Amino acid sequence: MTAFLKLLQALPTTLLITIISISIGFVIATIVALLRIYKVSVLTQIASAYVTFIRGTPMLMHLFLIYFGLPPIIDAIAKKFQLGFTSTSIPLIVFVCFSFSLTAGGYMSEVIRAGILAINRGQIEAAYSLGMTTAQALRRIVFPQALAVSLPNLSNSFIGIMHGTTLAFTLSITEILGQANIVASTNWKFFEAFIAAALLFWGITIFVEKLTAVLEKRINKYNRGGVA
Amino acid sequence: MITITNITKSFGNTEVLKGIDLKVEKGDVVVILGPSGSGKTTLLRCINYLEKPNDGEISIGEFTMNCKHPNKQGILTLRKKTAMVFQNYNLFKHKTVIENVMEGLMIVQKKSKEVARQISLQMLEKVGLANKLDAFPSQLSGGQQQRVGIARALALNPEVILFDEPTSALDPELVGEVLEVIRNIAMEGITMIVVTHEMGFAREVSNHVVFMDAGVVVEEGKPHEIFGSPREERTKQFLKRITSNHIA
Ligand SMILES: Nc1ncnc2c1ncn2[C@@H]1O[C@H](COP(=O)(O)OP(=O)(O)OP(=O)(O)O)[C@@H](O)[C@H]1O
Ligand SMILES: [Mg+2]
């Protein structure tokens, strides 16, 4: 029980990494999905390459690539433009969030792309026929419907990334798994500590699933019909 | 007045519109007839610029669009001056009846919410749906959905409303209510171009009939001319076939 309370101290870190990564990832994913749907020459190819790379390599690899690859680049740029700081002054968690945002962006872009493609062409044509610009039609008509379609998969992405944040443990960030390890190493009750961590993850996951179900019900009330 | 000059459109190698000319006076109800695949839908979609014509000119009032060199602003202007009623309604699925009608008023015409609501209410009363304001399209019959589609088009007060077979997706018993609404707004003097296979309706409400086949206008004239004494063999054949179908 005390182990569980200690684990709760790490909960904010896990949630912070997850929420930041999902939010930034969502923005990346939307841009990438649009680039791939509205073929924009070279940008589309870059977007496609990004998606296959992210999906084709493990999440831990992204983390290591960013962790070991980015600091030298930042240092070089900082030196060139004499910005007067080095990569060591950037908190570790920033690299973690950046890396996981890229991971989330790659996966979610496919979810969002599928969601947009699932919307009947007639919907955007109706918007155009009223005189809307593409941006207006996307924002007002296509995105809200695509989001509703994608909600279950986006919820899966959220859960996937949240579980993935345990990889940050390898860079000695004390998220839930890291904390469990610390707790265990002080009292040598490894099994209890990890069971507690597992229950915590399970609990959050169930919460996210319930939340999704509620949202789905609200967003999709227009799909079911029947009750006016 | 609307003038369409020498519109051509190809999909790949197939030329679907082979130089269409059409003149529509203010307040006209023009009916376009023609066999399946003759290019009627494509023509309407070109006028609304949902399809990009290869060449030709579309003028509405003072505004002229050269289809060979379209620009974004021109396309938007053209679309604002025209409205489309679709065969399968295409109502915004995630919006209620009144929101469907308000959308264009608020987003395109930048009207305030209150004003948009006021106009939308009037339009929905006109199509007999004032009691369904907060229903979603999925909760309506086909006929009701199409009437919302008409209200949505009407609300923007366009120079012309384009109807593409507005009743052909409907169950027979729902056709009447939609035709009734179209008939009423025709009598208000709203300019419209209607593609339809409802011959009785066409004859009754139109004041100009265009017969198309294989991407060209074969014959056009007053309804009594086209229906009563068509000159072209293809028109005769078509009318004969379609009336015999109706009796069968
Ligand atoms: N997006 C498209 N791509 C390729 N060919 C198309 C496309 N849209 C229409 N066509 C072709 O263009 C021709 C004219 O089609 P259109 O839909 O305009 O005919 P229509 O007169 O409206 O027929 P119907 O009475 O069946 O609705 C058809 O041969 C059709 O196959
Ligand atoms: Mg058609």
Side-chain angles (χ1 to χ4, degrees):
Chain A
M1 195 59 217
T2 46
F4 200 80
L5 288 177
K6 282 220 177 92
L7 283 187
L8 280 180
Q9 291 170 5
L11 183 60
T13 311
T14 293
L15 290 181
L16 184 74
I17 299 174
T18 308
I19 288 166
I20 290 180
S21 303
I22 286 288
S23 308
I24 300 176
F26 184 78
V27 175
I28 297 175
T30 307
I31 295 168
V32 166
L34 286 177
L35 284 176
R36 295 186 71 192
I37 289 171
Y38 292 93
K39 312 247 177 304
V40 201
S41 67
V42 64
L43 286 177
T44 298
Q45 286 163 10
I46 295 172
S48 301
Y50 160 73
V51 174
T52 56
F53 179 79
I54 293 294
R55 282 157 53 94
T57 49
M59 188 169 170
L60 184 58
M61 198 86 82
H62 309 156
L63 185 60
F64 285 174
L65 284 176
I66 293 297
Y67 178 65
F68 293 111
L70 206 51
I73 297 174
I74 291 173
D75 287 341
I77 292 172
K79 198 165 168 198
K80 180 132 193 254
F81 296 99
Q82 299 182 328
L83 301 177
F85 73 95
T86 61
S87 57
T88 46
S89 61
I90 301 173
L92 196 51
I93 200 161
V94 172
F95 290 104
V96 172
C97 287
F98 184 62
S99 155
F100 290 170
S101 298
L102 291 178
T103 311
Y107 281 97
M108 289 199 294
S109 77
E110 284 298 274
V111 171
I112 292 173
R113 192 167 76 103
I116 293 175
L117 292 179
I119 306 309
N120 191 314
R121 172 117 202 107
Q123 293 287 310
I124 199 165
E125 286 191 346
Y128 282 153
S129 81
L130 301 181
M132 284 195 209
T133 62
T134 304
Q136 288 169 334
L138 286 175
R139 186 163 52 79
R140 302 283 310 180
I141 308 302
V142 177
F143 282 156
Q145 292 186 45
L147 223 51
V149 172
S150 315
L151 193 67
N153 286 325
L154 288 175
S155 157
N156 275 341
S157 301
F158 186 94
I159 292 166
I161 291 292
M162 181 180 72
H163 293 170
T165 58
T166 49
L167 297 172
F169 160 58
T170 57
L171 300 187
S172 59
I173 296 253
T174 40
E175 42 64 66
I176 293 172
L177 184 65
Q179 182 77 354
N181 217 29
I182 291 168
V183 171
S185 60
T186 54
N187 63 6
W188 297 102
K189 289 183 181 158
F190 279 94
F191 185 67
E192 280 84 343
F194 290 129
I195 277 288
L199 287 176
L200 190 50
F201 274 114
W202 194 11
I204 310 171
T205 304
I206 290 171
F207 174 75
V208 171
E209 283 170 350
K210 287 269 184 285
L211 191 68
T212 309
V214 171
L215 279 177
E216 240 184 315
K217 212 168 183 171
R218 276 185 51 177
I219 294 180
N220 279 334
K221 70 171 185 280
Y222 62 80
N223 272 336
R224 268 186 281 277
V227 278
Chain B
M1 191 173 83
I2 300 162
T3 316
I4 289 156
T5 321
N6 198 27
I7 290 286
T8 57
K9 172 69 187 174
S10 305
F11 291 109
N13 288 328
T14 35
E15 200 174 24
V16 174
L17 298 180
K18 300 172 183 161
I20 302 280
D21 295 313
L22 191 64
K23 264 197 167 55
V24 181
E25 301 290 340
K26 200 163 169 50
D28 268 0
V29 178
V30 176
V31 162
I32 301 179
L33 306 176
S36 183
S38 54
K40 306 178 298 291
T41 297
T42 308
L43 176 61
L44 288 194
R45 289 170 59 85
C46 282
I47 298 173
N48 199 216
Y49 235 82
L50 290 176
E51 218 69 77
K52 188 188 167 315
N54 297 99
D55 201 356
E57 221 175 64
I58 303 172
S59 309
I60 300 182
E62 304 286 285
F63 172 79
T64 297
M65 170 113 174
N66 177 346
C67 300
K68 206 158 204 166
H69 308 286
N71 61 346
K72 270 208 174 115
Q73 208 47 53
I75 292 172
L76 284 181
T77 309
L78 185 64
R79 286 185 179 149
K80 285 177 192 168
K81 287 176 181 290
T82 57
M84 185 89 151
V85 173
F86 296 89
Q87 187 170 2
N88 46 4
Y89 335 126
N90 287 340
L91 296 185
F92 303 130
K93 282 170 58 180
H94 61 309
K95 295 195 177 286
T96 62
V97 165
I98 189 143
E99 286 170 350
N100 261 277
V101 184
M102 287 166 66
E103 187 69 11
L105 291 165
M106 283 165 55
I107 303 302
V108 177
Q109 298 192 348
K110 309 283 182 208
K111 294 208 159 58
S112 74
K113 199 166 179 178
E114 292 73 44
V115 174
R117 204 179 155 81
Q118 220 41 55
I119 298 174
S120 302
L121 270 174
Q122 280 171 22
M123 296 303 146
L124 286 166
E125 256 157 40
K126 211 174 269 190
V127 301
L129 285 174
N131 57 339
K132 290 280 181 193
L133 300 182
D134 298 316
F136 283 101
S138 63
Q139 299 166 328
L140 299 179
S141 74
Q144 292 170 332
Q145 289 189 56
Q146 191 58 295
R147 287 187 278 148
V148 177
I150 293 170
R152 179 173 70 179
L154 207 53
L156 297 175
N157 193 22
E159 307 268 341
V160 58
I161 303 185
L162 311 165
F163 292 82
D164 187 14
E165 300 195 31
T167 59
S168 65
L170 295 175
D171 292 339
E173 71 269 22
L174 299 178
V175 170
E177 65 185 55
V178 172
L179 291 184
E180 176 71 33
V181 165
I182 301 176
R183 192 178 293 126
N184 288 343
I185 61 176
M187 285 191 302
E188 283 183 22
I190 289 170
T191 314
M192 27 201 226
I193 304 177
V194 188
V195 173
T196 183
H197 291 298
E198 298 288 335
M199 290 303 141
F201 171 79
R203 198 169 183 155
E204 176 201 344
V205 297
S206 71
N207 51 10
H208 192 79
V209 179
V210 176
F211 175 69
M212 271 178 76
D213 191 15
V216 295
V217 171
V218 175
E219 184 170 358
E220 57 182 313
K222 296 264 161 272
H224 68 89
E225 293 167 349
I226 302 293
F227 289 109
S229 48
R231 290 180 310 257
E232 299 289 328
E233 195 51 40
R234 276 193 278 179
T235 320
K236 287 178 197 165
Q237 289 291 334
F238 174 78
L239 289 172
K240 206 161 140 194
R241 208 170 52 239
I242 205 147
T243 37
S244 67
N245 274 353
H246 260 252
I247 292 159

